[in-house]
Amino acid sequence: MPSRISDSFRAHSQKHLDLNSIKELPESHAWTSSNDYPSENSCNFESIPVIDLDNYINNNNINVLEHIGQACKKWGAFQIINHNISERLLQDIELAGKSLFSLPMQQKLKAARSPEGVTGYGVARISSFFSKLMWSEGFTIVGSPLEHARQIWPHDYQKFCDVIEEYEREMEKLAGRLMWLMLGSLGITKEEVKWAVCPKGESKGGSAALQLNSYPACPDPDRAMGLAAHTDSTILTILHQNNTSGLQVFKEGSGWVTVPPFPGALVVNVGDLLHILSNGLYPSVLHRAVVNRTRHRLSVAYLYGPPSRVKVSPLAKLVDQRHPPLYRAVTWSEYLGTKARHFDKALSSVRLCAPLSGFTDAKDHNGVQVG
Ligand SMILES: C=C1C[C@]23C[C@@]1(O)CC[C@H]2[C@@]12CCC[C@@](C)(C(=O)O1)[C@H]2[C@@H]3C(=O)O
Ligand SMILES: O=C(O)CCC(=O)C(=O)O
Ligand SMILES: [Fe+2]
């Protein structure tokens, strides 16, 4: 929360600074140890698993399921290769992001996200929980990007829209496939998740948001924060990062671990809704983005959840007398509302009973302040 009204006012009035042209870190963007100092704790040589999705064709799914299960339990994140998303499409989405973020601020603000809105251009939505501003700008798309693209480029929006829509279609297929692999690694079959399957037995698409994030080169990266520590309110998130590192995941016992960009690899994060579905067996991963002195970083997150009216709760197969359901049923939109109000306390706020070790969720007592 903003610690003082004056901080909060200053933060608000400098919300749309053009970070690309600033030569010195303004006070409004200078983080200290009291608000999650970025350079603390970040020297670590472990790295999240890299999983080859082609492997499962040869190994009847066994290896890949085991590998995914271990990664979800231990890290809440992994990288994938051989995922069938073409390099050309990954390049195109990067170019689309660059063409958007390199526009003058006035142009981007034509598609500004409204205070109550979800889509459009703006600072990170979680900014209101922090007294300092983040060194990033974002653009959120749900479904068609047409309306916002037209506001920005009245005569020249088609290429941007085509790339975004192709990326959304390809990501939807990949996210569905990953969801079944992640659930499969828990022993869950399609018959056991009615909302995700059509009567014909085919997978039903979930709903999703696409988030383009831009992190300009920063004059004082050790005191700036690209995107503060958070978990995603999703079943899973698929993240593409350009060739500049910045993403870090938090691992119990190890601290912040950098996820290096591998050409062509995509990062998969466990989100809060999979945490709920798995009854806490696959904890959602706390992650953040740090920034760089010389390089501009771009990331594209595909945030995948269930169809909006579906109530998600711990899966029946994972619940018994010894393992009571730990979370109440929530729809995705209800949970997003809870996240918007309670941020890092959202998961605990839908919890039914306290974990054996205390009164909070695992990530609430890992020593990291996220709010
Ligand atoms: C579906 C969504 C998840 C998200 C909120 C949103 O409505 C669209 C943007 C998403 C994002 C991306 C950056 C981090 C995050 C916490 C945020 O502030 O906006 C996530 C939200 C989330 O997962 O809760
Ligand atoms: O830029 C990154 O690496 C992280 C982005 C992210 O966490 C998000 O969009 O939810
Ligand atoms: Fe995230």
Side-chain angles (χ1 to χ4, degrees):
M1 301 283 163
S3 47
R4 291 183 317 202
I5 292 179
S6 57
D7 278 346
S8 141
F9 173 75
R10 207 174 316 120
H12 189 72
S13 62
Q14 297 193 349
K15 232 166 111 170
H16 295 298
L17 280 185
D18 185 353
L19 303 178
N20 294 288
S21 57
I22 297 178
K23 299 283 172 281
E24 204 181 312
L25 191 73
E27 264 313 296
S28 54
H29 291 69
W31 290 54
T32 62
S33 48
S34 63
N35 38 34
D36 197 7
Y37 205 52
S39 60
E40 233 173 51
N41 219 355
S42 55
C43 191
N44 212 306
F45 301 103
E46 291 181 274
S47 54
I48 64 170
V50 178
I51 298 180
D52 182 349
L53 290 188
D54 253 358
N55 223 0
Y56 83 95
I57 298 172
N58 308 326
N59 294 301
N60 206 13
N61 262 359
I62 304 296
N63 277 353
V64 87
L65 288 187
E66 253 176 39
H67 209 167
I68 286 180
Q70 282 164 9
C72 290
K73 255 193 211 133
K74 209 166 141 194
W75 289 89
F78 51 93
Q79 304 219 51
I80 50 172
I81 53 171
N82 287 320
H83 39 60
N84 269 346
I85 306 295
S86 70
E87 285 212 10
R88 194 267 312 150
L89 184 55
L90 295 177
Q91 264 168 22
D92 280 356
I93 194 85
E94 262 184 47
L95 288 174
K98 269 191 204 144
S99 68
L100 170 75
F101 291 118
S102 61
L103 291 171
M105 183 58 77
Q106 273 161 306
Q107 194 86 4
K108 293 184 272 196
L109 286 175
K110 292 187 176 156
R113 193 177 69 233
S114 66
E116 298 307 313
V118 173
T119 60
Y121 173 80
V123 296
R125 195 173 323 258
I126 53 177
S127 297
S128 59
F129 292 93
F130 297 88
S131 56
K132 297 295 178 175
L133 283 169
M134 298 174 210
W135 194 263
S136 60
E137 48 186 338
F139 190 79
T140 312
I141 299 162
V142 175
S144 170
L146 185 62
E147 194 187 322
H148 288 313
R150 259 197 190 137
Q151 292 166 328
I152 300 175
W153 300 281
H155 309 290
D156 206 8
Y157 51 81
Q158 200 57 50
K159 174 76 185 137
F160 181 83
C161 291
D162 289 347
V163 171
I164 297 291
E165 282 168 10
E166 183 185 358
Y167 195 77
E168 287 177 326
R169 280 195 301 277
E170 290 303 309
M171 282 289 139
E172 182 178 3
K173 284 188 252 167
L174 179 60
R177 186 172 160 213
L178 284 166
M179 179 179 78
W180 289 118
L181 287 170
M182 289 156 106
L183 293 175
S185 69
L186 286 164
I188 304 294
T189 61
K190 288 197 176 171
E191 291 72 55
E192 288 156 334
V193 197
K194 298 252 163 25
W195 55 260
V197 187
C198 297
K200 286 176 271 162
E202 284 160 21
S203 280
K204 228 193 248 174
S207 28
L210 193 67
Q211 172 78 15
L212 309 179
N213 299 302
S214 166
Y215 307 92
C218 174
D220 195 352
D222 292 344
R223 293 200 303 144
M225 175 62 78
L227 186 57
H230 66 280
T231 58
D232 295 340
S233 313
T234 57
I235 291 179
L236 62 95
T237 302
I238 305 174
L239 187 94
H240 167 61
Q241 44 180 346
N242 73 350
N243 60 0
T244 300
S245 75
L247 175 64
Q248 295 181 336
V249 297
F250 190 83
K251 182 164 176 260
E252 270 318 328
S254 305
W256 288 109
V257 178
T258 297
V259 180
F262 292 135
L266 294 166
V267 182
V268 181
N269 288 340
V270 172
D272 293 343
L273 296 190
L274 183 55
H275 184 126
I276 294 175
L277 281 166
S278 69
N279 208 24
L281 288 174
Y282 288 174
S284 50
V285 62
L286 190 65
H287 56 286
R288 66 183 188 181
V290 296
V291 291
N292 191 287
R293 189 181 298 278
T294 51
R295 298 174 68 106
H296 176 255
R297 178 166 183 271
L298 191 104
S299 76
V300 183
Y302 184 78
L303 299 130
Y304 185 70
S308 58
R309 277 191 223 137
V310 164
K311 284 215 168 206
V312 165
S313 56
L315 292 160
K317 197 171 185 175
L318 305 176
V319 168
D320 59 28
Q321 273 200 325
R322 286 191 311 127
H323 305 95
L326 297 179
Y327 300 93
R328 69 174 175 83
V330 277
T331 63
W332 196 15
S333 42
E334 188 190 342
Y335 189 75
L336 284 168
T338 306
K339 188 72 156 252
R341 283 190 304 281
H342 302 297
F343 184 42
D344 57 320
K345 310 288 182 302
L347 201 49
S348 314
S349 81
V350 296
R351 188 153 182 134
L352 289 171
C353 41
L356 292 175
S357 56
F359 292 100
T360 50
D361 272 288
K363 71 173 69 38
D364 289 346
H365 55 94
N366 59 16
V368 179
Q369 279 203 338
V370 292

